[in-house]
Amino acid sequence: MTLLTGARERRVRTGEVELCVAELGDPGRPTVVLVHGYPDSKEVWSEVAARLAGRFHVVAYDVRGHGRSTAPRPLRGGFTLEKLTDDFLAVADAVSPDRPVHLVGHDWGSVQGWEFTTVERTEGRVASFTSVSGPSLDHFGHWRDRRLKRPTPRRVAQLLGQGARSWYVYLLHTPVLPELAWRGPLGKRWPRVLERVEKVPRGDYPTSSLASDAAHGAWLYRDNVRPRLRDPRPDAYAHAPVQLVTPLGDRFLSER
């Protein structure tokens, strides 16, 4: 499956990695950059991109190690938020060198987007940020710490509830096993899981790169979650307008 019939593709180099970037619509119009989550690739944005392309210059790229983007070597330490920010800036500079871009992120794309919208070196490159079902790790760390420092029955229930929803995060920190599962039975069964649970017609998604995408993407969690939750930045303030989209039926992230 391709992102969309007629999409223009280019390769953008960022450090040792080469990113696959797809563009739709008129480059003279405001640019919207779509960043996918885990275990996805840019193709997950197909229907959204088609709706936006008539009014915007739409850009979607495969995050490093996913789809047709290359993976860092070694994998460990290659998926830090700092390096992901390098990637975003390289894409933004390539597709919209003179104007800031409107950023949209889902899941881990949104986690990245919070980083892009709060670090100093991206100031002036983000016109707006739409976050879909993915928190800032810094904000999440402060949310957790406030509940640990001043526990009440309600706050403890919130912590335990989110902890139960995050069961998969603990598994992804396990050495080797997630990679074996994704490259084996889980990767083969995932299309049926999406069809049954998310009502995604089989054959529409995911792409053939799913197993390697998911195996590589485990390092998003390993490189970032524990370090950032252990020491969240105190100054993670957005320097662009933020639109927060909170799916009420999210199985993995509570509204809180």
Side-chain angles (χ1 to χ4, degrees):
M1 182 173 106
T2 57
L3 176 66
L4 196 68
T5 302
R8 308 176 299 277
E9 286 196 355
R10 68 165 87 187
R11 311 291 293 184
V12 173
R13 178 158 287 281
T14 166
E16 80 280 24
V17 166
E18 199 172 68
L19 303 175
C20 182
V21 181
E23 300 176 67
L24 296 137
D26 182 356
R29 292 179 175 170
T31 298
V32 177
V33 176
L34 307 171
V35 187
H36 67 80
Y38 177 86
D40 298 321
S41 60
K42 65 181 182 303
E43 283 74 21
V44 77
W45 291 111
S46 294
E47 293 186 32
V48 174
R51 289 172 179 262
L52 294 176
R55 292 178 293 144
F56 297 97
H57 173 215
V58 182
V59 176
Y61 66 94
D62 288 321
V63 171
R64 56 172 52 207
H66 296 69
R68 295 202 298 282
S69 292
T70 61
R73 289 289 182 267
L75 294 173
R76 181 189 296 272
F79 290 84
T80 62
L81 286 168
E82 291 76 15
K83 291 185 177 180
L84 295 166
T85 303
D86 293 339
D87 296 351
F88 164 70
L89 286 172
V91 171
D93 289 345
V95 301
S96 184
D98 302 321
R99 291 184 296 176
V101 302
H102 296 279
L103 175 64
V104 183
H106 169 252
D107 185 74
W108 255 96
S110 177
V111 175
Q112 293 181 61
W114 279 109
E115 184 78 0
F116 307 159
T117 311
T118 57
V119 294
E120 186 176 347
R121 65 191 174 113
T122 58
E123 196 161 353
R125 297 301 286 126
V126 179
S128 71
F129 171 43
T130 296
S131 164
V132 186
S133 198
S136 158
L137 291 182
D138 297 299
H139 298 172
F140 183 47
H142 293 303
W143 180 87
R144 182 202 61 177
D145 290 347
R146 284 196 298 270
R147 280 152 183 77
L148 289 173
K149 290 173 182 175
R150 294 186 178 182
T152 65
R154 183 167 176 264
R155 287 183 163 194
V156 170
Q158 289 176 357
L159 277 174
L160 292 175
Q162 183 54 56
R165 288 171 181 255
S166 298
W167 58 269
Y168 65 98
V169 177
Y170 315 127
L171 289 179
L172 287 167
H173 278 82
T174 306
V176 180
L177 291 180
E179 286 88 340
L180 291 175
W182 278 115
R183 294 185 187 278
L186 184 57
K188 293 184 178 71
R189 293 174 184 167
W190 195 246
R192 291 197 294 274
V193 172
L194 289 177
E195 184 180 35
R196 187 174 66 252
V197 177
E198 303 289 349
K199 313 305 180 191
V200 177
R202 203 179 304 185
D204 283 4
Y205 196 78
T207 59
S208 59
S209 61
L210 168 71
S212 62
D213 295 346
H216 291 154
W219 287 99
L220 291 166
Y221 294 86
R222 296 167 182 167
D223 279 350
N224 296 294
V225 173
R226 284 177 178 167
R228 194 57 68 90
L229 294 187
R230 191 164 51 238
D231 187 23
R233 291 183 297 141
D235 58 348
Y237 296 100
H239 47 64
V242 175
Q243 174 177 232
L244 184 64
V245 179
T246 306
L248 303 182
D250 194 322
R251 292 175 171 81
F252 304 109
L253 197 66
S254 69
E255 296 170 51
R256 288 159 298 282

